[in-house]
């Protein structure tokens, strides 16, 4: 069991069905933290072994684990 | 539309002059047909058509009279004046002296914008050169023969000849290189007493646009909301970092917002900001330590779209490997953003060490095809040592370059101003200029806005792997 943060993209055809797809994702083990209607994305945490299950849900186009991004510390000359 | 109208206004004098020239020019370069093209004001077409008809004393036919505007060759040939309604352009067959009468109408806010002699155009020949154009100047190379001659000259003399050819080529190229670098440096005069070099090199100083009414989102470490240079500005902000306020505890965000949206007259010269009239949307997606995650950035993009931001500037990213695919999630989101009228512009990344021969690929998420990736150049027009290169196809290209070395901009109090380098600094130059284009072209958003940036950029004598189409330029 290791919980990871994921972003779930709705397929274009399902973009207006965010609540329904969100329910399906919850049933597949996703703990939903955010729903982004403008871009058709659901964000949440899930057991890493359940990522495949999420990706197979009808209406889901892709699932990706969150990456960390950043900028160098303030004192750097190159940022 | 507004911009094309402005351009037409500017070109009026010259075009008008052309229109008055005598009859057809003989076949050759710049040949004309004897007909004239008249540009009418699109929002005042009826008055334009009337003015045209009464000035020339001819009957004016309209393309709208034809089914689906499909004007046939006969109609084109026989009509004295034919208006293409959907283009607001008329083709007029009348002797030059009749255009004198038209001259008076082409003044001020009249319905006729410009007159030009119609040119003769040719299909390109199979070799890619038009039949009447002189062949383009080819690379100045004393081309050595590709194969050693079979008879006569010895191998040694062949090789010597080859060596001469190569030497000459190198000399010429180096000469050119020096010249080009010099030209750009001259254009971006290093005198920064009034304007940063970046604003000079991108022509922002001469732009009449300020991004007024355009919403620009900068997704970064937040902003020093009390910076004296931003007093009285329209600022909307939101933090996507749990437990942290928008107030910038890092500095990076304040610097990027300064470049994209800083004031025309800062508290202390030089001026460093591009879109001084834009509405600022501060999305804090990186913590005060400068770190964040995909989810916060996606939420920030969603917020920018729902607030109608035309431009999203993202000076952030994560390194990628050669061969690594772009994020399908970010690509989907960027595509949906474009469809919603929001252009996302992101830093290519700082992982290269070019002086050591290392070029790193464009980072995530700038490597998505629907996100505009920005590389960094210095005041001499040379690629920055750290600037990532387009090593991965399918979106991994650098699309455009911006000033990204020794860039002065705002910094949180009490420091107020600071000069730093990075593709992070190049990105808000492009974002700010995108806001200028957005103001100039209210009908062009999303991909169309990006196209304007690419079209206007100043081509550089450098690989497109490094600088894309070239150095971003502001609309004048």
């Amino acid at each position: 069991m290791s919980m990871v943060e994921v972003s779930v993209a709705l397929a274009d055809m399902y973009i207006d069905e965010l609540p329904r797809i969100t329910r399906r994702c919850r049933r597949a083990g996703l703990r939903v933290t955010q729903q982004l209607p403008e871009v058709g994305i659901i964000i949440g945490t899930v057991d890493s072994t359940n990522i495949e299950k999420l990706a197979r849900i009808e209406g889901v186009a892709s699932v990706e684990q969150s990456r960390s991004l950043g900028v160098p510390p303030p004192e750097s000359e190159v940022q | 539309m507004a911009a094309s109208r402005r351009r037409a206004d500017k070109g009026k004098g010259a075009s008008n002059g052309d229109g008055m020239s005598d009859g057809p020019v003989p076949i050759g370069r710049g040949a004309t047909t004897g007909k004239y093209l008249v540009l009418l004001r699109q929002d005042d077409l009826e008055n334009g058509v009337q003015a045209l008809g009464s000035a020339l004393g001819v009957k004016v036919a309209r393309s709208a009279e034809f089914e689906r505007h499909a004007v046939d060759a006969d109609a084109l040939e026989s009509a004295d004046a034919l208006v293409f309604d959907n283009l607001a352009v008329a083709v007029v067959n009348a002797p030059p002296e009749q255009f004198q009468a038209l001259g008076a109408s082409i003044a001020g806010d009249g319905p006729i914008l410009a007159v030009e002699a119609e040119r003769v155009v040719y299909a390109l020949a199979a070799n890619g050169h038009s039949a009447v154009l002189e062949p383009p100047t080819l690379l100045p190379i004393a081309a050595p023969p590709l194969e050693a001659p079979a008879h006569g000259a010895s191998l040694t003399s062949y090789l010597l000849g080859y060596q001469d050819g190569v030497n000459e080529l190198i000399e010429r190229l180096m000469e050119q290189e020096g010249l080009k670098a010099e030209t750009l440096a001259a254009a971006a005069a290093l005198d920064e007493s009034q304007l940063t070099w970046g604003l000079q090199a991108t022509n922002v100083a001469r732009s009449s646009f300020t991004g007024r009414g355009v919403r620009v989102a900068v997704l970064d470490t937040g902003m020093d909301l009390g910076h004296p240079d931003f007093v009285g500005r329209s600022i909307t902000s939101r933090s996507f970092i749990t437990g942290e306020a928008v107030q910038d505890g890092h500095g990076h965000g304040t610097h990027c917002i300064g470049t994209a949206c800083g004031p025309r007259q800062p508290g202390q010269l030089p001026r460093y900001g591009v879109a001084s009239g834009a509405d600022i949307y501060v999305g804090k997606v990186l913590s005060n330590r400068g770190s964040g995650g995909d989810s916060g950035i996606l939420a920030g993009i969603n917020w920018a779209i729902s607030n109608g931001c035309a431009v999203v500037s993202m000076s952030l990213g994560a390194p990628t490997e050669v061969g690594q695919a772009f994020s399908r999630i970010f690509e989907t989101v960027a595509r949906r953003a474009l469809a919603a009228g929001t252009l996302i512009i992101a830093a290519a990344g700082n992982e290269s060490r070019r002086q050591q021969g290392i070029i790193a690929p464009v980072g995530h998420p700038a490597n998505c095809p629907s996100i505009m990736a920005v590389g960094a150049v210095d005041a001499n027009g040379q690629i920055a040592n750290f600037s990532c290169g387009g090593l991965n196809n399918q979106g991994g290209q650098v699309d455009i370059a911006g000033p990204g070395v020794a860039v002065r901009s705002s910094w949180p109090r009490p420091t107020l101003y600071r000069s730093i380098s990075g593709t992070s600094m190049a990105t808000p130059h492009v974002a700010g200029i995108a806001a200028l284009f957005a103001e100039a072209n209210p009908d062009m958003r999303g991909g169309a806005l990006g196209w304007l940036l690419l079209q206007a950029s100043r081509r550089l004598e450098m690989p497109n792997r490094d600088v894309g189409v070239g150095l971003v330029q502001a609309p004048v």
Side-chain angles (χ1 to χ4, degrees), chain B residues 370-398:
Chain B
S370 301
I371 294 180
M372 186 172 286
V374 185
V377 295
D378 65 20
N380 293 316
Q382 298 301 308
I383 188 73
N385 179 43
F386 49 77
S387 192
C388 284
L391 304 186
N392 291 327
N393 285 326
Q394 282 222 314
Q397 301 90 343
V398 172

Side-chain angles (χ1 to χ4, degrees), chain B residues 33-85:
Chain B
T33 63
K35 292 184 187 174
Y36 292 84
L37 302 179
V38 180
L39 181 64
L40 306 168
R41 206 178 276 282
Q42 200 147 29
D43 54 11
D44 198 14
L45 191 57
E46 295 309 319
N47 281 329
V49 171
Q50 246 179 31
L52 191 64
S54 58
L56 299 179
V58 295
K59 187 184 176 313
V60 181
R62 306 281 292 263
S63 74
E65 295 158 9
F66 296 80
E67 200 181 339
R68 300 173 72 97
H69 290 247
V71 178
D72 56 33
D74 283 350
L76 206 50
E77 205 48 54
S78 61
D80 285 331
L82 178 66
V83 174
F84 290 93
D85 289 83

Side-chain angles (χ1 to χ4, degrees), chain B residues 174-213:
Chain B
M174 286 182 65
E175 216 169 88
Q176 272 188 353
E177 189 82 356
L179 255 175
K180 290 282 153 38
E182 225 170 76
T183 320
L184 197 60
L190 279 168
D191 171 11
E192 287 197 307
S193 59
Q194 301 296 314
L195 296 152
T196 58
W197 76 263
L199 297 196
Q200 297 175 57
T202 55
N203 219 18
V204 167
R206 282 194 288 278
S207 181
S208 52
F209 301 101
T210 63
R212 179 176 302 279

Side-chain angles (χ1 to χ4, degrees), chain A residues 10 12 64 67 71 74 79, chain B residues 290 294 327-328 336 418 421:
Chain A
L10 271 58
D12 287 344
E64 283 176 19
R67 305 161 195 77
V71 294
Q79 298 210 12
Chain B
D294 278 349
S327 159
R328 289 181 57 191
R336 288 173 182 162
R418 192 169 161 211
S421 303

Side-chain angles (χ1 to χ4, degrees), chain B residues 76-132:
Chain B
L76 206 50
E77 205 48 54
S78 61
D80 285 331
L82 178 66
V83 174
F84 290 93
D85 289 83
N86 41 11
L87 303 177
V89 168
V91 179
V92 181
N93 197 359
E97 52 271 18
Q98 271 186 266
F99 281 90
Q100 301 293 352
L102 209 53
S105 317
I106 314 173
D109 292 330
I112 296 174
L113 295 173
V115 180
E116 285 179 10
E118 185 186 43
R119 297 164 191 83
V120 180
V121 290
Y122 300 88
L124 291 177
N127 62 5
H129 304 143
S130 157
V132 289

Side-chain angles (χ1 to χ4, degrees), chain B residues 129 133-138:
Chain B
H129 304 143
L133 295 180
E134 287 133 28
T137 314
L138 298 171

Side-chain angles (χ1 to χ4, degrees), chain B residues 167-255:
Chain B
N167 284 345
E168 189 184 336
L169 172 63
I170 290 172
E171 256 168 48
R172 286 188 190 209
L173 286 178
M174 286 182 65
E175 216 169 88
Q176 272 188 353
E177 189 82 356
L179 255 175
K180 290 282 153 38
E182 225 170 76
T183 320
L184 197 60
L190 279 168
D191 171 11
E192 287 197 307
S193 59
Q194 301 296 314
L195 296 152
T196 58
W197 76 263
L199 297 196
Q200 297 175 57
T202 55
N203 219 18
V204 167
R206 282 194 288 278
S207 181
S208 52
F209 301 101
T210 63
R212 179 176 302 279
V214 178
R215 298 176 174 186
V216 177
V218 180
L219 305 184
D220 212 291
T221 60
M223 179 188 183
D224 177 3
L225 296 166
H227 195 290
D229 280 0
F230 295 86
V231 172
R233 287 291 292 275
S234 153
I235 300 176
T236 307
S237 64
R238 175 137 176 210
S239 176
F240 298 91
I241 301 293
T242 313
E244 288 192 15
V246 170
Q247 185 62 25
D248 186 5
H250 184 287
H252 191 270
T254 302
H255 201 276

Side-chain angles (χ1 to χ4, degrees), chain B residues 305-399:
Chain B
I305 295 173
S306 61
N307 278 289
C309 294
V311 183
V312 172
S313 186
M314 302 200 308
S315 291
L316 48 81
T320 59
E321 304 288 332
V322 174
Q324 184 179 329
F326 58 80
S327 159
R328 289 181 57 191
I329 296 271
F330 272 76
E331 172 55 17
T332 303
V333 164
R335 193 164 43 74
R336 288 173 182 162
L338 290 177
T342 301
L343 175 66
I344 304 177
I345 299 166
N350 302 334
E351 282 72 37
S352 294
R353 296 292 173 268
R354 290 168 181 270
Q355 283 161 4
Q356 296 159 41
I358 299 166
I359 300 179
V362 172
H364 161 79
N367 63 345
C368 291
S370 301
I371 294 180
M372 186 172 286
V374 185
V377 295
D378 65 20
N380 293 316
Q382 298 301 308
I383 188 73
N385 179 43
F386 49 77
S387 192
C388 284
L391 304 186
N392 291 327
N393 285 326
Q394 282 222 314
Q397 301 90 343
V398 172
D399 295 308

